[in-house]
Amino acid sequence: MISSVKNEKVKGLKKLHKRKERMNTNTFVVEGFHLLEEASKSEWEILEIIAQEDIIVPDWTENYPMERVSDNVMEHISQTTTPQGVLAVMRMKNQEERKGNHFLIIDSIQDPGNLGTIIRTADAAGMDGIVLGEGTVDLYNDKVIRATQGSIFHIPIYHADLRQELGILKGKGFSIWATALWNATNYNETVPEDKVAIIMGNEGAGVHPELLKLADTIVTIPIYGKAESLNVSIAAGILMYHLKR
């Protein structure tokens, strides 16, 4: 059992709190029983489980290497306010070629909670994949992962140059939708084509103008009350379910 925060493995785990180290090692940390179980049911690779000394772990954890640590070490490496006493080191996954007819394109969304909620909703709505563009919050940020509630392991998520990505999708017969407040059609007045990719933009600036120019359809969600706008994750959910009507 590891009981010192100065242990080299503990130092390595602590470093994974930073994006740079996650990218250097191609690994990240998942924390909590629910997320670990969702990961274990997926095709993602669990490298090692770290469990607090007095925590009872499920039987399935016997399939993976495990290291026990003391309470103070778990508190040191945990990124939650009230640690459950178990986490796992996982390998990042390179997703395969895009398959399916419905994709969500993420342009510079920066709030971890928003991205995580969008991923969770896209999973629930049966989307075929999510493409993350430059400027978007790190997929492996712990707050993003927690907000997905495990959906990060269920739906393909890709990283790409969005201008190139849109060109590829259009070449495959996709209709590109983008969201904007002006010069747009109410989403509920549109009839989704067989293949649709929806661009969701930055919380403050919206979809980048260059990407708007590449869109086939500009849609908006009507505001019936006095709110200035909808949260981007809520807007994404409305549009994704519209595709599935």
Side-chain angles (χ1 to χ4, degrees), residues 3 37 70 84 87-88 98 110-111 136-137 142 146 149 212 215 220 240:
S3 58
E37 185 170 5
S70 61
Q84 294 183 21
L87 56 82
R98 283 69 156 152
Q110 296 175 344
D111 182 86
T136 295
V137 62
D142 67 297
R146 288 202 299 273
Q149 285 292 300
L212 279 176
T220 190
M240 288 188 285

Side-chain angles (χ1 to χ4, degrees), residues 9-25:
K9 176 174 284 190
V10 174
K11 289 180 180 179
L13 291 168
K14 187 74 171 181
K15 287 180 180 178
L16 290 178
H17 293 188
K18 303 293 184 181
R19 182 179 186 276
K20 181 179 179 180
E21 187 66 15
R22 293 195 291 267
M23 299 306 295
N24 285 341
T25 61

Side-chain angles (χ1 to χ4, degrees), residues 23-51:
M23 299 306 295
N24 285 341
T25 61
N26 203 40
T27 61
F28 65 103
V29 171
V30 169
E31 189 169 350
F33 285 103
H34 173 67
L35 287 173
L36 263 67
E37 185 170 5
E38 291 300 303
S40 73
K41 296 175 182 177
S42 74
E43 296 179 356
W44 290 61
E45 183 181 1
I46 296 176
L47 299 175
E48 184 177 26
I49 292 175
I50 310 296

Side-chain angles (χ1 to χ4, degrees), residues 58-242:
D59 292 340
W60 60 262
T61 59
E62 296 176 1
N63 297 322
Y64 306 97
M66 181 181 295
E67 185 79 68
R68 288 283 183 173
V69 300
S70 61
D71 297 3
N72 66 304
V73 169
M74 179 58 67
E75 184 177 351
H76 180 70
I77 60 178
S78 173
Q79 297 182 81
T80 62
T81 305
T82 54
Q84 294 183 21
V86 61
L87 56 82
V89 179
M90 300 193 60
R91 193 180 306 283
M92 295 178 184
K93 185 178 180 183
N94 294 321
Q95 298 291 353
E96 299 174 356
E97 182 182 356
R98 283 69 156 152
K99 296 179 181 179
N101 294 336
H102 294 143
F103 287 89
L104 194 65
I105 311 296
I106 304 298
D107 174 29
S108 301
I109 288 177
Q110 296 175 344
D111 182 86
N114 282 341
L115 180 59
T117 300
I118 287 171
I119 293 170
R120 182 181 181 183
T121 308
D123 179 21
M127 297 294 283
D128 296 304
I130 301 171
V131 183
L132 307 182
E134 186 177 353
T136 295
V137 62
D138 179 20
L139 174 63
Y140 301 105
N141 177 295
D142 67 297
K143 293 179 181 177
V144 173
I145 294 172
R146 288 202 299 273
T148 72
Q149 285 292 300
S151 288
I152 186 176
F153 305 120
H154 302 161
I155 183 170
I157 303 173
Y158 314 91
H159 292 83
D161 179 298
L162 295 190
R163 293 163 187 80
Q164 293 180 7
E165 184 71 20
L166 294 180
I168 293 170
L169 289 172
K170 293 180 83 164
K172 292 182 177 181
F174 277 79
S175 175
I176 308 300
W177 289 16
T179 54
L181 297 176
W182 313 109
N183 300 318
T185 303
N186 283 350
Y187 82 96
N188 48 15
E189 296 175 3
T190 60
V191 178
E193 296 87 344
D194 290 337
K195 295 182 176 182
V196 178
I198 304 173
I199 311 172
M200 301 303 301
N202 174 268
E203 292 91 341
V207 177
H208 193 282
E210 290 187 23
L211 299 181
L212 279 176
K213 292 178 183 178
L214 297 174
D216 301 299
T217 303
I218 308 296
V219 296
T220 190
I221 299 171
I223 302 293
Y224 299 112
K226 296 182 180 180
E228 181 180 301
S229 63
L230 284 171
N231 173 276
V232 65
S233 62
I234 298 296
I238 292 170
L239 295 176
M240 288 188 285
Y241 272 91
H242 180 63

